[in-house]
Amino acid sequence: MPPCRRTPRWTFALVSAGGVVMTLDVTVVNVALSDIARDLDAGLGRVQWTVSAYSLAFGALLLTAGALSDRVGRRTVFASGMALFTLASAGCGLAPDAGSLIAARAAQGLGGALVFAPTLALLAAAYEGVRRQRAIAAFAAIASAAGALGPVVGGLFVQTLGWRWIFLVNVPIGILVVAGALARMPESAAPGETRRRLDPLGAALGVGMLLALHYPLVTGPEAGWTAPRVLGSAALGVVLAGALVASQRGGDGLIDMALLRIRAFSGAALLGFLARMSSLGVLAFTTLWLQSAHAFSALEVGLYLLPLTGSLLVTGLFVARLQKAFAPDRLVAAGFALQGLGLLALAAAAGAGAGPAATTGGLVLLGAGGAVIFPPLMGVAVGAVPAERAGMASGLTNACYPLGTAAGVAVFGALFSARLEAGLGSGPGSGPEGLVPPRAAVETGRFELLEPALRPLARSAFSGAFTAVCLASALVCLFGVLAARTLRAEARSLGSAERRRSSSVAQTS
């Protein structure tokens, strides 16, 4: 095939399609858990592992997949991951029991990591300068909007075709993306003289470390933070992290430790962690609050979240222009400020009864803030490192994102439970015969299962718990505003380089 047909637009389209499918699969399954549990005759607690298995496998492999893409080729890793994800999606849709579904979801997570890890490196190789900023901004907006649309898409499929189609729809999409990648996406990798050796020990330690760190975040809220398996996994994660650092001192292993000494790169990774913690880490509780406060169905909740999705898309259209006018540190700080204001608006809506206008305004601010935060972070992550380390940098940065989501769900979940228990402390301790205990009903927003006399207290306790989550997340945003200063030196460097490039182009045109 002639090289001219392998245009950057093809790379962008294929990477975006992969990003949409991967991001959707993080949130789309949540609305189908009850149907899956009923059809497969499994307890809801076990079926929830269809979410956890994907998250654990996805997060554990990102670091290794990013470094591997520099070595064997980013298109190769991307296409291989998409093929595995497609096969696993078919396995999910045809799963005869819960065990098979959980195993297939884990395989989906592995394939998703291989797809997502080299995405930034592929875009960085396809575009330069302002066009790179635009491509990354558009990709971030599309992927974020896909995550927010997950409940809508999931609700539509569950209510029309059945839960199996939330997985089976991935099969034709995956086949087209794999075929397109092989035919139209150019290969990119680190130059031969700068490629690092394969590092099986480092890869094993990296996967084990991320898996051990993810596990307590996923299971801690349910099992208890002092449970032996939770504490043991956390301790193992710390030990494996130390062993990984020690194994990389030779300088040619899985991770180039020098990248972590680049202040802007480390700052971008930390800020990505915080941004996912304050956005997707709160989304589950926001969805639950909407369902309980307005008695919405899963589909209605998804539609009510459209202001968030719409603001993501609309703001994303202007981010590339904003990046021309403002440095990354200022944009990221502004994005965190918008998210913090949005969370305060939601807290006011839940705690003070500020009304639907506050809810809608809060969702709009959350979406706009997310659209402004991620493109500059992604640009700094790949722009602050040598080109031959772009895949590694992409994998390192992307590994922080699911950790941030898991940490947000875990930390805010613990806070939610504590505040809920305190709010219910003055109420009756058990419901009438045949009904679930008040605590179990309230924490899932099923107020109709309570006696009418208990419902005012239950609604008050639930609103108070969600308000506490919003306020805590707003504090995370405040820390993000302050931490954005770590990008300042790199922002000036990239801005000066871009202005020199633009000036050179203007003089020669």
Side-chain angles (χ1 to χ4, degrees):
M1 179 171 295
C4 63
R5 297 185 65 185
R6 300 189 175 199
T7 63
R9 291 183 179 180
W10 275 105
T11 297
F12 175 80
L14 294 166
V15 165
S16 296
V20 165
V21 174
M22 300 306 119
T23 309
L24 271 176
D25 257 57
V26 176
T27 58
V28 73
V29 180
N30 289 309
V31 298
L33 291 180
S34 296
D35 294 79
I36 293 173
R38 182 181 63 251
D39 289 355
L40 299 183
D41 194 22
L44 190 60
R46 188 181 185 200
V47 173
Q48 283 176 335
W49 272 98
T50 59
V51 177
S52 300
Y54 181 90
S55 176
L56 287 169
F58 183 85
L61 195 63
L62 277 171
L63 180 60
T64 301
L68 183 66
S69 69
D70 284 337
R71 179 66 178 84
V72 303
R74 293 153 193 161
R75 183 191 68 175
T76 299
V77 170
F78 177 88
S80 299
M82 200 70 216
L84 174 59
F85 181 87
T86 302
L87 289 172
S89 295
C92 289
L94 301 175
D97 51 53
S100 301
L101 177 60
I102 292 170
R105 281 288 285 169
Q108 263 193 323
L110 295 176
L114 292 172
V115 170
F116 211 78
T119 52
L120 294 183
L122 285 166
L123 292 175
Y127 296 95
E128 293 183 357
V130 175
R131 296 183 67 201
R132 177 189 292 180
Q133 291 180 348
R134 290 175 179 170
I136 291 177
F139 170 75
I142 291 170
S144 297
L149 280 172
V152 180
V153 176
L156 284 172
F157 276 109
V158 170
Q159 292 187 16
T160 56
L161 298 175
W163 66 266
R164 293 184 182 275
W165 280 95
I166 65 178
F167 302 113
L168 293 176
V169 72
N170 295 331
V171 175
I173 298 174
I175 291 173
L176 290 175
V177 171
V178 171
L182 296 178
R184 298 297 181 92
M185 181 184 289
E187 184 62 279
S188 68
E193 64 274 12
T194 60
R195 292 186 186 179
R196 303 165 77 84
R197 64 178 175 84
L198 291 177
D199 184 13
L201 175 61
L205 290 173
V207 171
M209 175 195 71
L210 290 174
L211 184 62
L213 292 176
H214 270 85
Y215 183 80
L217 293 174
V218 170
T219 60
E222 181 180 351
W225 296 105
T226 58
R229 57 176 173 163
V230 173
L231 294 177
S233 180
L236 178 61
V238 173
V239 171
L240 291 175
L244 177 62
V245 171
S247 72
Q248 302 303 300
R249 289 179 177 174
D252 61 343
L254 177 73
I255 304 173
D256 187 350
M257 302 302 292
L259 297 184
L260 302 180
R261 292 192 289 270
I262 301 175
R263 186 184 180 194
F265 174 75
S266 299
L270 171 63
L271 289 163
F273 176 92
L274 295 175
R276 285 292 288 266
M277 185 177 181
S278 62
S279 56
L280 289 185
V282 180
L283 183 60
F285 303 100
T286 304
T287 301
L288 198 58
W289 174 66
L290 290 174
Q291 285 179 315
S292 65
H294 303 284
F296 285 160
S297 68
L299 178 58
E300 288 172 329
V301 168
L303 294 174
Y304 204 90
L305 289 173
L306 286 178
L308 186 153
T309 309
S311 62
L312 268 170
L313 290 172
V314 172
T315 307
L317 297 176
F318 299 96
V319 169
R321 296 181 183 179
L322 292 174
Q323 286 182 283
K324 291 182 181 179
F326 300 99
D329 59 315
R330 294 186 178 182
L331 283 178
V332 171
F336 273 109
L338 289 173
Q339 283 198 335
L341 291 174
L343 289 162
L344 292 177
L346 290 179
T359 302
T360 301
L363 293 174
V364 169
L365 290 171
L366 279 176
V372 172
I373 289 174
F374 285 104
L377 287 182
M378 293 176 175
V380 170
V382 295
V385 303
E388 64 271 13
R389 299 288 179 264
M392 182 185 297
S394 178
L396 277 167
T397 305
N398 284 330
C400 295
Y401 293 166
L403 271 176
T405 301
V409 171
V411 172
F412 298 142
L415 174 62
F416 184 88
S417 297
R419 294 295 298 173
L420 190 63
E421 186 173 352
L424 294 173
S426 59
S430 61
E433 184 177 358
L435 296 181
V436 296
R439 169 69 183 270
V442 176
E443 66 184 3
T444 55
R446 295 176 296 166
F447 300 130
E448 72 279 1
L449 300 179
L450 299 171
E451 287 183 295
L454 297 178
R455 291 174 188 173
L457 174 66
R459 292 183 185 279
S460 176
F462 190 96
S463 295
F466 178 67
T467 299
V469 168
C470 291
L471 294 177
S473 185
L475 286 177
V476 173
C477 291
L478 176 60
F479 184 70
V481 171
L482 299 176
R485 299 179 64 182
T486 60
L487 306 178
R488 185 163 298 174
E490 183 60 30
R492 291 173 180 170
S493 174
L494 291 175
S496 298
E498 187 56 46
R499 283 191 294 270
R500 288 195 300 268
R501 186 181 299 111
S502 300
S503 176
S504 176
V505 171
Q507 292 173 2
T508 57
S509 60

mmCIF file of all heavy atoms in Angstrom, residues 368-397:
data_model
loop_
_atom_site.group_PDB
_atom_site.id
_atom_site.type_symbol
_atom_site.label_atom_id
_atom_site.label_comp_id
_atom_site.label_asym_id
_atom_site.label_seq_id
_atom_site.Cartn_x
_atom_site.Cartn_y
_atom_site.Cartn_z
ATOM 1 N N ALA A 368 -16.659 20.367 31.596
ATOM 2 C CA ALA A 368 -15.755 21.373 31.027
ATOM 3 C C ALA A 368 -14.375 21.282 31.666
ATOM 4 O O ALA A 368 -13.346 21.392 30.984
ATOM 5 C CB ALA A 368 -16.345 22.769 31.223
ATOM 6 N N GLY A 369 -14.332 21.065 32.986
ATOM 7 C CA GLY A 369 -13.042 20.937 33.653
ATOM 8 C C GLY A 369 -12.246 19.742 33.166
ATOM 9 O O GLY A 369 -11.041 19.838 32.909
ATOM 10 N N GLY A 370 -12.925 18.601 33.004
ATOM 11 C CA GLY A 370 -12.231 17.414 32.499
ATOM 12 C C GLY A 370 -11.703 17.616 31.088
ATOM 13 O O GLY A 370 -10.603 17.158 30.762
ATOM 14 N N ALA A 371 -12.477 18.322 30.247
ATOM 15 C CA ALA A 371 -12.035 18.576 28.873
ATOM 16 C C ALA A 371 -10.793 19.449 28.841
ATOM 17 O O ALA A 371 -9.951 19.308 27.944
ATOM 18 C CB ALA A 371 -13.155 19.238 28.079
ATOM 19 N N VAL A 372 -10.657 20.356 29.817
ATOM 20 C CA VAL A 372 -9.513 21.266 29.846
ATOM 21 C C VAL A 372 -8.284 20.615 30.470
ATOM 22 O O VAL A 372 -7.151 20.919 30.094
ATOM 23 C CB VAL A 372 -9.888 22.556 30.618
ATOM 24 C CG1 VAL A 372 -8.671 23.440 30.833
ATOM 25 C CG2 VAL A 372 -10.954 23.334 29.855
ATOM 26 N N ILE A 373 -8.478 19.689 31.397
ATOM 27 C CA ILE A 373 -7.352 19.105 32.141
ATOM 28 C C ILE A 373 -6.540 18.137 31.294
ATOM 29 O O ILE A 373 -5.303 18.243 31.215
ATOM 30 C CB ILE A 373 -7.869 18.388 33.404
ATOM 31 C CG1 ILE A 373 -8.352 19.397 34.434
ATOM 32 C CG2 ILE A 373 -6.747 17.534 34.021
ATOM 33 C CD1 ILE A 373 -9.013 18.753 35.643
ATOM 34 N N PHE A 374 -7.191 17.166 30.678
ATOM 35 C CA PHE A 374 -6.455 16.017 30.154
ATOM 36 C C PHE A 374 -5.605 16.287 28.911
ATOM 37 O O PHE A 374 -4.485 15.773 28.814
ATOM 38 C CB PHE A 374 -7.422 14.853 29.907
ATOM 39 C CG PHE A 374 -7.854 14.168 31.168
ATOM 40 C CD1 PHE A 374 -9.108 14.387 31.703
ATOM 41 C CD2 PHE A 374 -6.996 13.322 31.840
ATOM 42 C CE1 PHE A 374 -9.506 13.775 32.879
ATOM 43 C CE2 PHE A 374 -7.376 12.688 33.006
ATOM 44 C CZ PHE A 374 -8.635 12.916 33.535
ATOM 45 N N PRO A 375 -6.062 17.062 27.924
ATOM 46 C CA PRO A 375 -5.190 17.275 26.765
ATOM 47 C C PRO A 375 -3.825 17.885 27.096
ATOM 48 O O PRO A 375 -2.796 17.393 26.610
ATOM 49 C CB PRO A 375 -6.032 18.192 25.869
ATOM 50 C CG PRO A 375 -7.435 17.876 26.232
ATOM 51 C CD PRO A 375 -7.408 17.632 27.700
ATOM 52 N N PRO A 376 -3.739 18.945 27.920
ATOM 53 C CA PRO A 376 -2.406 19.455 28.263
ATOM 54 C C PRO A 376 -1.560 18.429 29.002
ATOM 55 O O PRO A 376 -0.343 18.335 28.768
ATOM 56 C CB PRO A 376 -2.706 20.674 29.153
ATOM 57 C CG PRO A 376 -4.087 21.076 28.819
ATOM 58 C CD PRO A 376 -4.802 19.811 28.478
ATOM 59 N N LEU A 377 -2.179 17.656 29.887
ATOM 60 C CA LEU A 377 -1.418 16.640 30.615
ATOM 61 C C LEU A 377 -0.844 15.603 29.661
ATOM 62 O O LEU A 377 0.321 15.195 29.788
ATOM 63 C CB LEU A 377 -2.315 15.958 31.648
ATOM 64 C CG LEU A 377 -2.687 16.753 32.900
ATOM 65 C CD1 LEU A 377 -3.535 15.895 33.832
ATOM 66 C CD2 LEU A 377 -1.429 17.232 33.615
ATOM 67 N N MET A 378 -1.666 15.151 28.716
ATOM 68 C CA MET A 378 -1.197 14.154 27.760
ATOM 69 C C MET A 378 -0.088 14.717 26.885
ATOM 70 O O MET A 378 0.894 14.028 26.570
ATOM 71 C CB MET A 378 -2.366 13.673 26.898
ATOM 72 C CG MET A 378 -3.411 12.881 27.650
ATOM 73 S SD MET A 378 -4.822 12.440 26.589
ATOM 74 C CE MET A 378 -5.776 11.419 27.711
ATOM 75 N N GLY A 379 -0.240 15.986 26.481
ATOM 76 C CA GLY A 379 0.792 16.616 25.665
ATOM 77 C C GLY A 379 2.107 16.740 26.402
ATOM 78 O O GLY A 379 3.176 16.464 25.843
ATOM 79 N N VAL A 380 2.068 17.142 27.672
ATOM 80 C CA VAL A 380 3.292 17.257 28.470
ATOM 81 C C VAL A 380 3.925 15.889 28.675
ATOM 82 O O VAL A 380 5.154 15.738 28.613
ATOM 83 C CB VAL A 380 2.984 17.929 29.819
ATOM 84 C CG1 VAL A 380 4.186 17.824 30.760
ATOM 85 C CG2 VAL A 380 2.621 19.397 29.615
ATOM 86 N N ALA A 381 3.086 14.862 28.912
ATOM 87 C CA ALA A 381 3.607 13.530 29.200
ATOM 88 C C ALA A 381 4.487 12.990 28.079
ATOM 89 O O ALA A 381 5.516 12.360 28.330
ATOM 90 C CB ALA A 381 2.460 12.568 29.483
ATOM 91 N N VAL A 382 4.089 13.235 26.816
ATOM 92 C CA VAL A 382 4.890 12.731 25.694
ATOM 93 C C VAL A 382 5.855 13.786 25.164
ATOM 94 O O VAL A 382 6.815 13.455 24.470
ATOM 95 C CB VAL A 382 3.988 12.214 24.547
ATOM 96 C CG1 VAL A 382 3.201 11.001 24.995
ATOM 97 C CG2 VAL A 382 3.044 13.311 24.058
ATOM 98 N N GLY A 383 5.602 15.070 25.477
ATOM 99 C CA GLY A 383 6.478 16.129 24.984
ATOM 100 C C GLY A 383 7.677 16.390 25.863
ATOM 101 O O GLY A 383 8.682 16.949 25.408
ATOM 102 N N ALA A 384 7.606 15.963 27.131
ATOM 103 C CA ALA A 384 8.697 16.235 28.065
ATOM 104 C C ALA A 384 9.769 15.154 28.044
ATOM 105 O O ALA A 384 10.784 15.277 28.736
ATOM 106 C CB ALA A 384 8.147 16.386 29.484
ATOM 107 N N VAL A 385 9.569 14.082 27.276
ATOM 108 C CA VAL A 385 10.504 12.958 27.267
ATOM 109 C C VAL A 385 11.072 12.788 25.859
ATOM 110 O O VAL A 385 10.492 13.268 24.878
ATOM 111 C CB VAL A 385 9.793 11.657 27.716
ATOM 112 C CG1 VAL A 385 9.185 11.828 29.095
ATOM 113 C CG2 VAL A 385 8.726 11.236 26.709
ATOM 114 N N PRO A 386 12.208 12.097 25.729
ATOM 115 C CA PRO A 386 12.754 11.818 24.393
ATOM 116 C C PRO A 386 11.773 11.010 23.552
ATOM 117 O O PRO A 386 10.998 10.211 24.076
ATOM 118 C CB PRO A 386 14.025 11.007 24.700
ATOM 119 C CG PRO A 386 14.387 11.366 26.100
ATOM 120 C CD PRO A 386 13.096 11.614 26.810
ATOM 121 N N ALA A 387 11.777 11.240 22.255
ATOM 122 C CA ALA A 387 10.821 10.589 21.358
ATOM 123 C C ALA A 387 10.891 9.072 21.438
ATOM 124 O O ALA A 387 9.862 8.388 21.336
ATOM 125 C CB ALA A 387 11.067 11.039 19.915
ATOM 126 N N GLU A 388 12.091 8.520 21.655
ATOM 127 C CA GLU A 388 12.228 7.070 21.704
ATOM 128 C C GLU A 388 11.653 6.469 22.978
ATOM 129 O O GLU A 388 11.555 5.246 23.109
ATOM 130 C CB GLU A 388 13.697 6.664 21.565
ATOM 131 C CG GLU A 388 14.614 7.122 22.689
ATOM 132 C CD GLU A 388 15.197 8.499 22.427
ATOM 133 O OE1 GLU A 388 14.698 9.187 21.504
ATOM 134 O OE2 GLU A 388 16.154 8.876 23.138
ATOM 135 N N ARG A 389 11.263 7.311 23.937
ATOM 136 C CA ARG A 389 10.670 6.829 25.185
ATOM 137 C C ARG A 389 9.182 7.172 25.248
ATOM 138 O O ARG A 389 8.571 7.089 26.303
ATOM 139 C CB ARG A 389 11.383 7.449 26.390
ATOM 140 C CG ARG A 389 12.858 7.119 26.479
ATOM 141 C CD ARG A 389 13.082 5.664 26.886
ATOM 142 N NE ARG A 389 14.493 5.343 26.942
ATOM 143 C CZ ARG A 389 15.173 4.769 25.967
ATOM 144 N NH1 ARG A 389 14.539 4.437 24.839
ATOM 145 N NH2 ARG A 389 16.455 4.503 26.103
ATOM 146 N N ALA A 390 8.590 7.564 24.121
ATOM 147 C CA ALA A 390 7.192 7.996 24.123
ATOM 148 C C ALA A 390 6.254 6.870 24.549
ATOM 149 O O ALA A 390 5.288 7.097 25.280
ATOM 150 C CB ALA A 390 6.802 8.514 22.742
ATOM 151 N N GLY A 391 6.487 5.660 24.071
ATOM 152 C CA GLY A 391 5.633 4.542 24.462
ATOM 153 C C GLY A 391 5.727 4.247 25.938
ATOM 154 O O GLY A 391 4.722 3.995 26.611
ATOM 155 N N MET A 392 6.926 4.276 26.483
ATOM 156 C CA MET A 392 7.116 4.067 27.918
ATOM 157 C C MET A 392 6.423 5.166 28.715
ATOM 158 O O MET A 392 5.741 4.908 29.710
ATOM 159 C CB MET A 392 8.613 4.045 28.246
ATOM 160 C CG MET A 392 8.928 3.782 29.716
ATOM 161 S SD MET A 392 10.702 3.914 30.033
ATOM 162 C CE MET A 392 11.308 2.574 29.023
ATOM 163 N N ALA A 393 6.595 6.423 28.264
ATOM 164 C CA ALA A 393 5.952 7.543 28.953
ATOM 165 C C ALA A 393 4.435 7.413 28.884
ATOM 166 O O ALA A 393 3.729 7.682 29.871
ATOM 167 C CB ALA A 393 6.402 8.858 28.332
ATOM 168 N N SER A 394 3.918 7.002 27.730
ATOM 169 C CA SER A 394 2.478 6.815 27.584
ATOM 170 C C SER A 394 1.972 5.739 28.533
ATOM 171 O O SER A 394 0.943 5.905 29.201
ATOM 172 C CB SER A 394 2.150 6.446 26.132
ATOM 173 O OG SER A 394 0.775 6.203 25.959
ATOM 174 N N GLY A 395 2.703 4.635 28.622
ATOM 175 C CA GLY A 395 2.297 3.550 29.516
ATOM 176 C C GLY A 395 2.355 3.958 30.978
ATOM 177 O O GLY A 395 1.454 3.642 31.764
ATOM 178 N N LEU A 396 3.427 4.667 31.372
ATOM 179 C CA LEU A 396 3.546 5.130 32.754
ATOM 180 C C LEU A 396 2.411 6.077 33.122
ATOM 181 O O LEU A 396 1.803 5.960 34.193
ATOM 182 C CB LEU A 396 4.896 5.827 32.952
ATOM 183 C CG LEU A 396 6.110 4.947 33.240
ATOM 184 C CD1 LEU A 396 7.391 5.752 33.090
ATOM 185 C CD2 LEU A 396 6.022 4.353 34.631
ATOM 186 N N THR A 397 2.130 7.024 32.234
ATOM 187 C CA THR A 397 1.068 7.990 32.517
ATOM 188 C C THR A 397 -0.292 7.311 32.561
ATOM 189 O O THR A 397 -1.097 7.542 33.480
ATOM 190 C CB THR A 397 1.055 9.092 31.449
ATOM 191 O OG1 THR A 397 2.348 9.694 31.367
ATOM 192 C CG2 THR A 397 0.039 10.161 31.780
#
